[in-house]
């Protein structure tokens, strides 16, 4: 029976930083030449559509640098909170991986978008395996549009459109950094791949990708997970999970017969030997370059720690000087206040002495007025009221009351 529907082939795989160099090597022309699964005549049509292969190669160094920066930020936050001991302990502790401890799948995600190789074939040359350039161009445009729809530019390390294998396909390698700032830990950057739209829910991702290619007549693949859940609910035997074959193995299986006819055993051995020698030489150059880069970054991190320590010491000295200046100002104001209080006390003492003399004189005048009968005069009464006010003032200042 003739096949009428072709599904979109979409895969997501998880990798760790240590896998990045191996993945980058797979996409380098010098590695692909001479391989069974690669058609060298089409190798030049491969196209990098986002990121760079160097970014993928250096992902492990990117992660290592972020981990070191996280540790420095943690130490800085501890020092700012007045905990130098905890800061030193953080710097002396091993560097922590910049992802959650509960992370079970790799933090680097690889995505592949393609279709069955026969869908790309030209209908006018049925059975001969010739590709239809228009179909290839339309699928490439849809794949790239789908990529920009679901990925942020800063998340993509490397994306490449490849046509030198059995079926044209788009490879995407992406990671997602999440940054947080707190007083306890400072600025921290963590890898959180589940924040990438297509990595939140595998089944939902299949739906989204299928929708992006529906205008080409391609359909969603079988809903294996849904069928397994349905069988479980109905009590039927649960179908086994489908075997997921990576693109490299799939392409290898599809192209063995063609490669057998094209290459002789001797030519194949020579090409593989030369490729292995070139790969070994390249790997040594890359290793030396990476080691030098790591040393450079470690030296930068060391200088950064020294500069941070120097800056913190200078800030501490400045703060101590400011506190000393403030204390001196306070002491000066207190001294001035003491002088004012002393002057006020002296003037009060003098006034009190004069007041006592006035009171003593008034008592004598009062006794004389009593003898001559002048105590009832208004002027004498007014004077007695003022004298009473004077006695009250002395009482408020702590003087002895002279009421009689």
């Amino acid at each position: 029976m003739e096949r009428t529907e072709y599904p979109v082939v979409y895969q997501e795989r998880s990798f760790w930083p240590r896998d990045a160099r191996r993945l980058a090597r797979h996409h380098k022309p010098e590695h692909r030449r001479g391989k069974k699964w690669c058609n060298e005549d089409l190798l030049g049509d491969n196209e990098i559509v986002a990121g760079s292969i160097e970014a993928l190669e250096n992902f492990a160094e990117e992660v290592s640098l972020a981990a070191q920066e996280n540790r420095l930020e943690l130490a800085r936050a501890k020092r700012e909170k007045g905990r130098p001991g905890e800061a030193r302990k953080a710097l002396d502790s091993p560097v922590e991986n910049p992802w959650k401890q509960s992370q079970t799948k790799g933090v680097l995600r690889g995505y592949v978008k393609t279709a069955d190789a026969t869908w790309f074939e030209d209908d006018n040359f049925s059975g001969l395996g010739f590709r239809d350039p228009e179909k290839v161009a339309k699928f490439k445009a849809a794949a790239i549009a789908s990529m920009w729809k679901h990925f942020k530019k800063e998340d993509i390390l490397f994306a490449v459109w490849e046509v030198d294998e059995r079926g044209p396909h788009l490879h995407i390698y992406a990671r997602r950094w999440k940054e947080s700032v707190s007083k306890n830990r400072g600025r921290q950057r963590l890898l959180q791949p589940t924040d990438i739209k297509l990595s939140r829910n595998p089944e939902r991702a299949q739906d989204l990708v299928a929708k992006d290619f529906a205008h080409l007549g391609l359909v969603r693949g079988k809903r294996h997970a849904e069928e397994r859940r349905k069988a479980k609910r109905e009590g039927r035997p649960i179908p086994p999970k489908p075997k997921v074959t990576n693109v490299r193995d799939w392409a290898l299986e599809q192209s063995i017969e063609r490669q057998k006819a094209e290459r002789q055993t001797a030519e194949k051995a020579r090409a593989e030997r030369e490729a292995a020698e070139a790969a070994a030489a390249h790997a040594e150059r890359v290793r030396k370059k990476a080691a030098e880069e790591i040393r450079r970054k470690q030296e930068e991190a060391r200088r950064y720690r020294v500069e941070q320590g120097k800056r913190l010491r200078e800030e501490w000295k400045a703060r101590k000087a400011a506190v000393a200046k403030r204390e001196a100002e306070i002491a000066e104001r207190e001294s001035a206040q003491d002088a004012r209080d002393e002057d006020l006390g002296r003037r009060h003492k003098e006034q009190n002495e004069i007041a006592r003399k006035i009171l003593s004189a008034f008592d004598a005048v009062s006794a004389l007025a009593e003898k001559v009968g002048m105590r009832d005069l208004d002027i004498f009464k007014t004077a007695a009221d003022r004298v009473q006010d004077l006695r009250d003032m002395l009482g408020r200042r702590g003087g002895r009351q002279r009421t009689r």
Side-chain angles (χ1 to χ4, degrees):
M1 183 176 179
E2 185 178 356
R3 186 173 184 176
T4 58
E5 289 187 340
Y6 290 89
V8 177
V9 178
Y10 166 76
Q11 288 184 10
E12 176 187 351
R13 300 187 68 195
S14 302
F15 304 97
W16 295 103
R18 61 176 176 271
D19 301 319
R21 291 191 177 277
R22 173 178 59 82
L23 296 171
R25 184 167 64 97
H26 170 73
H27 297 286
K28 290 186 175 182
E30 60 266 30
H31 173 74
R32 301 173 77 83
R33 290 192 181 95
K35 296 297 188 290
K36 292 180 179 180
W37 40 272
C38 174
N39 184 346
E40 289 188 22
D41 296 334
L42 299 176
L43 188 59
D45 294 332
N46 292 350
E47 178 185 355
I48 297 174
V49 296
S52 67
I53 199 165
E54 289 79 11
L56 180 59
E57 279 186 314
N58 296 330
F59 178 61
E61 285 74 25
E62 176 185 351
V63 172
S64 176
L65 183 60
Q68 294 182 41
E69 290 175 347
N70 286 347
R71 182 170 64 174
L72 291 174
E73 278 290 312
L74 175 60
R76 182 189 62 78
K78 296 299 184 184
R79 283 193 293 267
E80 288 185 354
K81 293 195 71 174
R83 300 174 180 174
E86 294 183 14
R88 289 192 297 271
K89 183 178 180 181
L91 291 175
D92 294 337
S93 300
V95 178
E96 296 180 357
N97 291 323
W99 57 76
K100 293 181 179 179
Q101 293 182 355
S102 59
Q103 187 74 35
T104 57
K105 292 185 178 181
V107 292
L108 172 64
R109 297 298 167 91
Y111 307 85
V112 178
K113 298 179 182 181
T114 184
D116 192 286
T118 56
W119 180 83
F120 293 95
E121 293 177 357
D122 193 330
D123 295 335
N124 297 322
F125 300 91
S126 179
L128 298 179
F130 293 138
R131 290 178 183 168
D132 185 339
E134 185 176 356
K135 285 185 177 180
V136 174
K138 287 183 177 180
F139 188 93
K140 176 184 176 182
I144 295 175
S146 176
M147 176 183 71
W148 292 126
K149 181 179 179 181
H150 303 300
F151 292 88
K152 295 181 179 180
K153 183 178 180 180
E154 62 267 24
D155 292 341
I156 299 176
L157 286 172
F158 180 57
V160 58
W161 169 253
E162 294 179 338
V163 296
D164 59 338
E165 297 183 26
R166 180 69 177 87
H169 56 275
L170 177 67
H171 274 286
I172 304 170
Y173 297 97
R175 81 280 186 256
R176 171 66 63 85
W177 286 103
K178 184 174 183 180
E179 183 175 304
S180 63
V181 180
S182 68
K183 291 184 179 179
N184 288 328
R185 298 187 64 83
R187 175 177 169 271
Q188 298 290 309
R189 295 176 67 225
L190 296 179
L191 285 163
Q192 199 154 311
T194 51
D195 282 357
I196 299 176
K197 188 175 181 180
L198 292 183
S199 294
R200 294 172 186 168
N201 185 307
E203 292 183 72
R204 176 60 176 162
Q206 292 282 354
D207 294 336
L208 294 174
V209 174
K211 186 177 180 181
D212 294 340
F213 291 88
H215 65 285
L216 300 180
L218 296 169
V219 299
R220 189 195 190 282
K222 293 183 179 180
R223 300 178 180 273
H224 296 286
E226 183 177 334
E227 180 60 29
R228 287 169 56 82
R229 291 195 299 269
K230 184 178 180 181
K232 186 176 181 180
R233 288 195 304 268
E234 296 175 356
R236 295 185 286 106
I238 300 176
K241 292 184 179 180
K243 179 183 177 182
V244 178
T245 304
N246 62 51
V247 174
R248 180 177 180 278
D249 293 340
W250 171 77
L252 180 61
E253 294 170 0
Q254 295 293 316
S255 61
I256 285 179
E257 291 187 8
R258 179 177 62 83
Q259 293 297 330
K260 281 182 179 180
E262 292 177 354
R263 301 194 180 280
Q264 299 293 331
T265 305
E267 179 65 19
K268 172 187 170 183
R270 181 187 64 80
E272 289 181 348
R273 182 174 61 255
E274 291 178 354
E277 292 172 354
H282 177 71
E284 180 63 18
R285 290 194 299 271
V286 171
R287 185 192 65 78
K288 290 181 179 179
K289 182 180 178 181
E292 181 62 28
E293 183 68 11
I294 290 174
R295 285 193 293 271
R296 182 184 66 81
K297 291 178 178 178
Q298 288 176 342
E299 178 60 21
E300 289 179 355
R302 185 193 67 77
R303 288 199 298 268
Y304 177 79
R305 291 195 299 270
V306 172
E307 291 173 358
Q308 284 289 89
K310 181 179 179 181
R311 182 181 64 80
L312 290 173
R313 287 192 295 272
E314 291 175 352
E315 290 179 356
W316 175 247
K317 290 180 181 178
R319 290 175 184 173
K320 287 181 66 177
V323 171
K325 180 180 179 182
R326 179 64 176 168
E327 290 176 346
E329 291 174 351
I330 293 173
E332 184 178 352
R333 287 199 297 270
E334 290 178 348
S335 178
Q337 183 63 42
D338 291 342
R340 288 194 297 271
D341 292 342
E342 184 178 352
D343 181 67
L344 182 62
R346 180 183 56 76
R347 286 190 282 114
H348 282 177
K349 183 177 181 181
E350 292 174 353
Q351 292 172 358
N352 291 346
E353 187 63 28
I354 293 172
R356 291 189 185 95
K357 290 180 180 179
I358 292 172
L359 291 175
S360 178
F362 181 80
D363 289 341
V365 172
S366 179
L368 182 60
E370 182 71 27
K371 289 180 180 181
V372 297
M374 296 178 65
R375 285 286 298 270
D376 296 327
L377 294 178
D378 292 337
I379 189 172
F380 192 85
K381 292 180 179 180
T382 301
D385 292 338
R386 300 290 79 80
V387 169
Q388 185 59 43
D389 293 340
L390 188 60
R391 284 196 175 95
D392 293 340
M393 182 194 72
L394 287 174
R396 286 193 300 272
R397 290 183 178 179
R400 181 170 62 87
Q401 291 288 351
R402 296 179 178 272
T403 56
R404 303 193 183 277

